[in-house]
Amino acid sequence: AQSVTQLDSQVPVFEEAPVELRCNYSSSVSVYLFWYVQYPNQGLQLLLKYLSGSTLVKSINGFEAEFNKSQTSFHLRKPSVHISDTAEYFCAVSDQGSGTYKYIFGTGTRLKVLA
Amino acid sequence: DSGVTQTPKHLITATGQRVTLRCSPRSGDLSVYWYQQSLDQGLQFLIHYYNGEERAKGNILERFSAQQFPDLHSELNLSSLELGDSALYFCASTWGAGGMGNEQFFGPGTRLTVL
């Protein structure tokens, strides 16, 4: 079965500093990877996804993630964070099994941007 | 706004009771997924319905059941509630039967508190 590991449960960072949120997956087949963001008291929103092609994918709000097959990683980065980026970030892999496609989520990383 | 609606937003009930959570998918989406988010288990896939039929079950307890109606809205029924069932319950929808790279659109969730 596929799994996703987010090693950092919380990441505090000062405003305008760079940040990296780590995500590793386990899979022996082709993978589709996603980053979702959950703002306080809200549902999950898709931030970016990797399906195929370029290994570097970007979101409209400055985040980017790089798919690294050899290291089975899909780390999320932002060169300069804002207070408004404070949220919980979930890495997910799309898993096929038992006749359905579903997400396997990591445990989440809580990003706290400090003024 | 993802276009997925969930009611109620909050639900407080007692142990042993039964509750029903409702989800309306985005217009045109045929698949509905249910997820449970709790502090100790993280985000867990519960069940997937496609066009009225159950496609797959994940970590769903036997006390829980779901259905999808002809108008495509879905209900998650939780019975004989226990303290440990307190969690945030999300539904998500996607077009078709879902695919490995299909984005799932999440509702705002229903927060269930069992006292």
Side-chain angles (χ1 to χ4, degrees), chain B residues 26-102:
Chain B
R26 289 188 323 156
S27 177
D29 284 354
L30 300 179
S31 276
V32 171
Y33 299 78
W34 286 97
Y35 293 87
Q36 180 193 57
Q37 185 180 30
S38 62
L39 286 175
D40 55 344
Q41 299 279 354
L43 262 167
Q44 299 276 319
F45 165 70
L46 295 179
I47 198 164
H48 171 208
Y49 271 83
Y50 167 65
N51 204 21
E53 293 190 4
E54 181 185 304
R55 288 297 295 262
K57 284 184 174 180
N59 299 321
I60 188 166
L61 301 171
E62 287 191 9
R63 300 183 284 108
F64 296 1
S65 65
Q67 52 186 327
Q68 185 179 28
F69 295 87
D71 67 352
L72 301 176
H73 90 272
S74 177
E75 293 180 357
L76 180 67
N77 301 295
L78 315 176
S79 61
S80 302
L81 285 168
E82 301 175 0
L83 296 178
D85 297 328
S86 295
L88 199 50
Y89 292 84
F90 287 108
C91 80
S93 73
T94 192
W95 64 274
M100 287 287 280
N102 283 4

Side-chain angles (χ1 to χ4, degrees), chain A:
Chain A
Q2 298 195 58
S3 65
V4 176
T5 301
Q6 292 182 250
L7 289 172
D8 306 306
S9 59
Q10 293 189 64
V11 173
V13 63
F14 285 103
E15 194 174 18
E16 298 183 7
V19 70
E20 177 180 82
L21 307 183
R22 296 179 292 169
C23 172
N24 289 89
Y25 65 92
S26 69
S27 172
S28 60
V29 297
S30 297
V31 291
Y32 298 86
L33 294 157
F34 304 80
W35 275 100
Y36 274 82
V37 58
Q38 184 179 24
Y39 297 103
N41 301 313
Q42 294 186 30
L44 281 75
Q45 303 171 35
L46 181 67
L47 194 58
L48 45 76
K49 62 182 177 181
Y50 170 78
L51 304 182
S52 64
S54 173
T55 57
L56 184 66
V57 290
K58 299 184 179 185
S59 72
I60 57 173
N61 57 355
F63 282 93
E64 62 181 35
E66 186 159 20
F67 170 62
N68 188 319
K69 189 173 182 178
S70 62
Q71 297 187 5
T72 60
S73 68
F74 190 55
H75 300 334
L76 181 69
R77 301 183 182 96
K78 189 170 185 181
S80 176
V81 295
H82 302 286
I83 295 287
S84 59
D85 293 323
T86 295
E88 188 150 21
Y89 292 80
F90 292 91
C91 182
V93 62
S94 185
D95 178 63
Q96 181 185 6
S98 304
T100 190
Y101 302 95
K102 62 183 185 293
Y103 287 161
I104 305 295
F105 282 95
T107 49
T109 297
R110 195 173 296 275
L111 174 64
K112 174 72 173 175
V113 180
L114 308 168

